[in-house]
Amino acid sequence: MHITLTVQPDSGRTRRSLRARMRGGLRSWNLIGGGLSAAGLGALLLGAPVGGGVMLTPGVVMLVGPWLLTRAAANARTGVFVEIATYELTDDAVRVRTPSLRAGYKWSTVERVEDNGEFWVVVTGGTGVLVLPWTLLPAVDVAQARDFLRQRGLLVAV
């Protein structure tokens, strides 16, 4: 397999790809924030002496914080990442090249590829993440790439 895709700059798509990239890492904050908020609200409603506000306030911050953080990071980085990007998928690796960035990962280091509907988020061990706008690929290449990822057991729906 050898698929090459060149993508023209699009600030909206860049913001969405950054949000998709960051969303997974902050999901646990939402879960903890939801638990704290529910416990704090329950304590307030039941009139517990512990003080529901003590749990409710950090819970709400943890619920809203990840959304604000991804939004702020996406807005701050959009200018940096709005460049012509060339993606390359081969049997050995996935790569992206822009005038200011070169990144690539061997398939053996990829843990999973998350399909969120517009992007494939390629997740590797550690901090490696690459976001591929698969909807811009020709249909034949999408089918070939999907088959390749499924054969390796990497493609998961989000």
Side-chain angles (χ1 to χ4, degrees):
M1 171 181 73
H2 186 89
I3 299 172
T4 303
L5 170 68
T6 300
V7 177
Q8 296 300 317
D10 179 354
S11 60
R13 186 181 58 246
T14 301
R15 277 192 289 278
R16 290 189 306 275
S17 73
L18 284 166
R19 285 187 197 129
R21 177 182 180 194
M22 295 177 71
R23 190 171 295 136
L26 298 173
R27 198 169 288 137
S28 62
W29 285 86
N30 284 333
L31 293 173
I32 294 167
L36 278 174
S37 295
L41 188 59
L44 282 175
L45 292 175
L46 294 173
V50 175
V54 173
M55 290 185 280
L56 185 61
T57 303
V60 170
V61 168
M62 291 177 81
L63 273 174
V64 176
W67 177 78
L68 291 173
L69 181 62
T70 57
R71 187 171 176 84
N75 286 335
R77 295 179 186 168
T78 298
V80 176
F81 290 120
V82 178
E83 299 177 319
I84 294 175
T86 301
Y87 296 89
E88 184 179 18
L89 285 83
T90 64
D91 290 331
D92 299 326
V94 57
R95 295 178 191 89
V96 63
R97 286 187 326 270
T98 69
S100 63
L101 171 74
R102 285 179 186 250
Y105 303 102
K106 292 189 178 261
W107 290 116
S108 60
T109 65
V110 174
E111 291 178 359
R112 66 188 178 282
V113 178
E114 298 174 351
D115 182 356
N116 77 353
E118 183 180 5
F119 302 102
W120 283 335
V121 181
V122 180
V123 180
T124 65
T127 60
V129 176
L130 186 142
V131 180
L132 174 74
W134 69 267
T135 54
L136 300 178
L137 285 168
V140 173
D141 290 342
V142 169
Q144 182 183 9
R146 273 191 194 281
D147 289 342
F148 176 81
L149 294 172
R150 284 189 182 132
Q151 287 172 358
R152 290 185 165 259
L154 295 173
L155 192 60
V156 294
V158 175

